[in-house]
Amino acid sequence: MVAGHLQEKRGFYYIVLNYIDPETKKRKQPWLPTGLPVKGNRKQAEEMLIKARQSFDQQDYAIQHGAISPNMLFSDFMETWLKIIKNSVAVTTYSTYEGITKKRIVPYFKKEGITLNNLQPGHIQAFYLQAMNKVSASTVIHYHAVIHKALKYAVKIDLLDSNPADKIERPRKARYIADYYNLEELE
């Protein structure tokens, strides 16, 4: 549990948490608004402070506030990227990206422990080969689209020099062969 206290500012209570950032070794003090006016709400503000201290996760806070770096795990980067693009894509698109990322990509790469800057095309190709044992080529192509888009964003914000997903051989989609009823089956 992190340290924290209440602070009054412009007639409202704010929760001020206090922790040491493990990466930078510097003290961080995020201010969280309670929305409660100072007059008559001390007890309720103290209850909110206790809940905030218990539920505060330093890593989640850093991810939500854009603290991304090339040294973070690729799985953490994917989760951060999801939060970043949430408001810039359609709801259905986001839902698809979220499902693919949280159910397939993150568990695999979290287990592998690969950081964003150490991600190689071979790591991604190994993920696709492993996925091909469970799902169709079309599904793996969807996985590729999500990974490629996330890594394209990493290149855009200068976390990577090039996109490792550009060097991957995607599986070939199985050609659809229609099946028709014959005259006997129609009868």
Side-chain angles (χ1 to χ4, degrees):
M1 187 160 74
V2 297
H5 65 277
L6 290 175
Q7 184 74 36
E8 295 177 23
K9 185 176 180 182
R10 295 187 188 131
F12 289 91
Y13 280 117
Y14 284 82
I15 297 170
V16 182
L17 299 175
N18 192 347
Y19 70 96
I20 304 288
D21 185 354
E23 274 190 28
T24 62
K25 305 293 185 220
K26 293 185 178 179
R27 183 170 305 284
K28 300 282 184 180
Q29 292 186 317
W31 284 52
L32 309 173
T34 63
L36 298 173
V38 172
K39 191 168 187 161
N41 289 311
R42 178 78 182 179
K43 189 168 190 130
Q44 191 176 359
E46 286 174 348
E47 289 171 3
M48 289 177 75
L49 170 64
I50 291 168
K51 286 180 186 173
R53 288 180 60 206
Q54 290 172 342
S55 66
F56 184 76
D57 183 350
Q58 294 175 22
Q59 188 173 10
D60 282 349
Y61 184 81
I63 287 172
Q64 289 171 5
H65 291 84
I68 56 177
S69 73
N71 298 325
M72 70 189 311
L73 289 176
F74 177 61
S75 56
D76 293 341
F77 169 76
M78 290 299 293
E79 290 177 331
T80 305
W81 173 76
L82 272 178
K83 292 174 184 173
I84 292 168
I85 65 149
K86 184 173 187 173
N87 296 321
S88 63
V89 296
V91 174
T92 53
T93 303
Y94 176 78
S95 176
T96 302
Y97 287 175
E98 183 182 38
I100 289 171
T101 301
K102 291 192 174 184
K103 290 180 184 164
R104 302 291 180 206
I105 298 170
V106 168
Y108 177 85
F109 284 101
K110 191 173 284 272
K111 182 181 67 172
E112 296 295 317
I114 300 166
T115 59
L116 180 60
N117 59 352
N118 290 333
L119 183 68
Q120 299 294 317
H123 297 128
I124 301 170
Q125 195 74 58
F127 168 65
Y128 294 166
L129 291 173
Q130 187 256 357
M132 287 291 288
N133 294 331
K134 298 177 182 175
V135 296
S136 70
S138 294
T139 304
V140 174
I141 290 170
H142 291 294
Y143 295 173
H144 176 76
V146 172
I147 290 173
H148 188 273
K149 186 165 182 156
L151 291 173
K152 186 176 176 182
Y153 175 77
V155 171
K156 180 180 175 182
I157 62 170
D158 296 327
L159 292 177
L160 295 174
D161 294 329
S162 66
N163 189 339
D166 285 338
K167 301 172 185 173
I168 302 295
E169 286 295 322
R170 294 182 328 164
R172 182 170 289 228
K173 219 179 214 185
R175 187 183 156 141
Y176 177 73
I177 300 173
D179 192 20
Y180 301 99
Y181 290 119
N182 61 28
L183 288 175
E184 293 170 4
E185 293 171 332
L186 285 173
E187 296 295 327

